[in-house]
Amino acid sequence: MGKNIEYYLSQDFNIEMAEYFSKGRRTIVSVVANDDYTLTLEFDNGEKRLYNVAPLIKQDTVFENLAGLSNFSRVYVDDNHCVSWDINPNIHSNTVWNNKITIDSDVCYVYGEKIQ
């Protein structure tokens, strides 16, 4: 049996995350990059959500590598079902771990806008 909202709140989760985890986690099954720095994500329950990456793309952060749409559009779902980008597309991130930018599926689900 899963843990309830009160359990997650007692572990210092915010209310959105506590509600999400108490209902069970979701897995990303597909991702599409949009021209406005949003991602259209499909989850294992058939639900689609729109996640806005634009606020994360700031100078002097790992996300600054996504500032150009050509880099942003190289998004994929990795083996852990996270949204991912390889900083250098010529280097496989399973070989060089610090070549990868990821956003966890839980974050995408909770903070993404439901579109279907």
Side-chain angles (χ1 to χ4, degrees):
M1 181 164 164
K3 296 179 172 79
N4 61 24
I5 292 173
E6 289 75 23
Y7 169 80
Y8 291 105
L9 290 172
S10 74
Q11 300 299 306
D12 292 326
F13 284 54
N14 66 30
I15 188 68
E16 294 93 349
M17 283 293 185
E19 289 174 350
Y20 166 75
F21 277 97
S22 70
K23 294 176 183 173
R25 298 175 76 183
R26 295 288 170 214
T27 302
I28 298 172
V29 296
S30 69
V31 60
V32 175
N34 303 308
D35 289 344
D36 60 354
Y37 292 97
T38 62
L39 300 171
T40 302
L41 302 155
E42 184 175 353
F43 290 84
D44 59 348
N45 63 350
E47 190 173 333
K48 289 189 178 181
R49 291 189 173 253
L50 193 67
Y51 185 78
N52 187 4
V53 182
L56 302 175
I57 302 172
K58 297 177 183 172
Q59 191 172 2
D60 299 323
T61 70
V62 68
F63 292 100
E64 101 178 291
N65 292 294
L66 305 179
L69 282 175
S70 62
N71 289 339
F72 182 73
S73 67
R74 290 188 286 105
V75 67
Y76 64 95
V77 178
D78 72 9
D79 295 341
N80 296 313
H81 301 282
C82 294
V83 171
S84 300
W85 295 265
D86 292 333
I87 296 169
N88 181 337
N90 299 315
I91 299 173
H92 197 286
S93 292
N94 288 343
T95 306
V96 180
W97 67 269
N98 63 349
N99 185 51
K100 188 179 195 177
I101 302 167
T102 61
I103 303 174
D104 188 76
S105 61
D106 302 326
V107 170
C108 292
Y109 189 88
V110 171
Y111 298 110
E113 174 188 342
K114 185 176 179 179
I115 56 176
Q116 181 182 356

